[in-house]
Amino acid sequence: MNMSIVKSFLLVLFLFAGTIANSQDIQKYDYLEIIVIQKANNSGKIKRIKVQEQRSLEGKSITIDQIEDIKGTSDLLNYMNAANWEFVDRRAVTEINDPVWMSYIFRKKKAVN
């Protein structure tokens, strides 16, 4: 009787330990920065997109050439969303009558190796 209680306790402890260990996993992401250059006051029309070679693009279904061919900001966001990249942040640098430089940051959950 006493031995079965100890075995039951150890089994429950083992199950809870596995659950706690799984819940402590930290999500790992690939981050991608895309620089978008727009004309001032041109409502989202892109003058040029610049993507530098980044390790987060290795082995992914999207390419620099495909991204740089996009002509509008909504098209860029739709394209990245379709490729399962999550929009995280946008930073803009503006000066009067100069092109607007924006840095778009996207992230994608890393595949478990």
Side-chain angles (χ1 to χ4, degrees), residues 34 36-39 42-49 65-79 102 104:
I34 298 175
V36 176
I37 302 147
Q38 292 179 300
K39 292 183 178 178
N42 207 358
S43 68
K45 292 194 179 182
I46 293 175
K47 183 176 177 183
R48 189 177 73 163
I49 293 180
D65 292 334
Q66 291 171 332
I67 296 170
E68 289 180 344
D69 288 340
I70 295 173
K71 301 298 180 202
T73 53
S74 63
D75 295 333
L76 173 64
L77 294 171
N78 287 332
Y79 175 78
M102 290 183 285
Y104 284 82

Side-chain angles (χ1 to χ4, degrees), residues 7 10 13 16 19 22 28 56 59 64 67 74 84 86 98 102 107 110:
K7 287 181 182 179
L10 290 175
L13 183 64
F16 280 123
T19 305
N22 285 336
K28 293 181 173 75
S56 58
I64 291 174
I67 296 170
S74 63
N84 294 321
E86 178 184 356
D98 283 342
M102 290 183 285
R107 73 178 178 189
K110 284 187 178 182

Side-chain angles (χ1 to χ4, degrees), residues 30-36 49-57 62-64 67-68 76 80 85-93 101-108:
D30 281 327
Y31 287 90
L32 177 63
E33 180 180 28
I34 298 175
I35 304 298
V36 176
I49 293 180
K50 179 67 179 150
V51 181
Q52 295 178 345
E53 206 52 55
Q54 299 174 41
R55 285 184 32 199
S56 58
L57 284 173
I62 61 174
T63 65
I64 291 174
I67 296 170
E68 289 180 344
L76 173 64
M80 296 302 286
W85 284 85
E86 178 184 356
F87 174 76
V88 177
D89 192 21
R90 181 185 77 175
R91 302 283 167 107
V93 177
W101 292 70
M102 290 183 285
S103 170
Y104 284 82
I105 305 293
F106 295 91
R107 73 178 178 189
K108 184 171 188 157

Side-chain angles (χ1 to χ4, degrees), residues 2-18:
N2 194 17
M3 192 59 134
S4 63
I5 293 174
V6 171
K7 287 181 182 179
S8 299
F9 177 74
L10 290 175
L11 177 65
V12 170
L13 183 64
F14 176 74
L15 291 175
F16 280 123

